[in-house]
Amino acid sequence: MILITGASGGIGYELFKKLSINNDVIAISNKKKLENNKKGICLNINLLNHKEIDQLISKYQVKLDEITILNLAVRSFDGLLANYPIEKVRETFELNFFSNLYLVQAILPIMINQKWGRIIHFSSIVGNQGAVGAGIYAASKSALIGYNKTLSKEYGRFGITSNIIELGYF
C-alpha cells in the first residue's frame, strides 16, 4: 500500500495518477477533492488533526501491507525572519514537520510488525542552503532532514527505510 500526503499538489497528484495504475494507493488531500480510480482511494484529511490520522489507520489497517509513505504535504509562507508572525511559524512547522512525525509514529508499529516499510519525505534544497524570504520553511525542512536521518538509523534493523528527496526550484 502506498500512502501519499499532499496528493492534490502537482507532484503528489502526478504520483497518485501513475502509481495507482498498478498499486493500491491512498491519496491524502486537505483542500481539493480528488477522484478515486481503480486502485486509488482519495481522502480529504487534515494532517494537523491527529484523530483524523488515527481514524485513517484504523479504517484501512487491513489494507496497510508493505507500506510506503510518500510525504509531500507542505506549507510555505514567504517573509523576512524579523517580520514573520509566530502563528505562521507554528503553521509551517505543524504541517511540514509535526504532521510527518505523527503519521510515521502512528504507522511505525505496523511496519515493525511486518518487518518492512518505506518512508520517503520530500524536502527542499532550501532546507540545507536557506533562502531569502524562506527562513521558517528552511528551518522546518532542516528539522525534517534531521528527523529522517534518525529514523533510518533507529528502524533500519526492522527492514524499514527512511529517505529524503530534496527538490530544487522548478
Side-chain angles (χ1 to χ4, degrees):
M1 170 62 69
I2 299 171
L3 186 67
I4 303 173
T5 68
S8 62
I11 295 171
Y13 183 67
E14 290 301 319
L15 282 170
F16 169 67
K17 286 192 320 188
K18 299 279 190 224
L19 292 172
S20 62
I21 292 170
N22 296 314
N23 303 281
D24 291 325
V25 178
I26 295 175
I28 297 174
S29 169
N30 183 30
K31 295 181 181 164
K32 293 182 185 173
K33 181 86 169 133
L34 302 174
E35 296 293 322
N36 293 346
N37 62 28
K38 186 176 179 183
K39 295 185 85 79
I41 301 166
C42 299
L43 303 172
N44 283 87
I45 292 177
N46 178 355
L47 292 171
L48 304 181
N49 185 327
H50 296 172
K51 287 181 183 178
E52 289 186 31
I53 292 172
D54 292 340
Q55 289 169 349
L56 160 76
I57 293 167
S58 177
K59 182 175 181 177
Y60 292 98
Q61 189 161 6
V62 174
K63 288 182 167 262
L64 296 177
D65 188 41
E66 293 190 352
I67 305 162
T68 297
I69 301 172
L70 302 175
N71 279 319
L72 287 124
V74 67
R75 178 165 290 152
S76 178
F77 299 101
D78 292 333
L80 298 176
L81 290 171
N83 302 324
Y84 213 87
I86 196 68
E87 300 81 31
K88 297 293 185 192
V89 173
R90 286 189 181 100
E91 288 177 31
T92 301
F93 268 85
E94 282 295 329
L95 187 61
N96 297 359
F97 179 71
F98 289 111
S99 71
N100 285 284
L101 173 71
Y102 189 80
L103 179 63
V104 169
Q105 283 180 323
I107 292 180
L108 268 174
I110 298 168
M111 291 178 166
I112 291 168
N113 188 51
Q114 295 175 0
K115 296 186 177 24
W116 197 94
R118 302 293 177 262
I119 303 163
I120 303 169
H121 300 284
F122 283 73
S123 186
S124 168
I125 60 170
V126 173
N128 278 320
Q129 297 177 358
V132 174
I136 301 306
Y137 174 79
S140 70
K141 291 301 185 175
S142 293
L144 189 62
I145 291 166
Y147 168 65
N148 175 73
K149 289 177 181 180
T150 301
L151 267 176
S152 65
K153 291 176 180 177
E154 288 182 352
Y155 294 95
R157 62 191 165 126
F158 298 106
I160 300 166
T161 63
S162 182
N163 291 284
I164 201 148
I165 296 175
E166 291 183 14
L167 302 174
Y169 293 99
F170 57 92

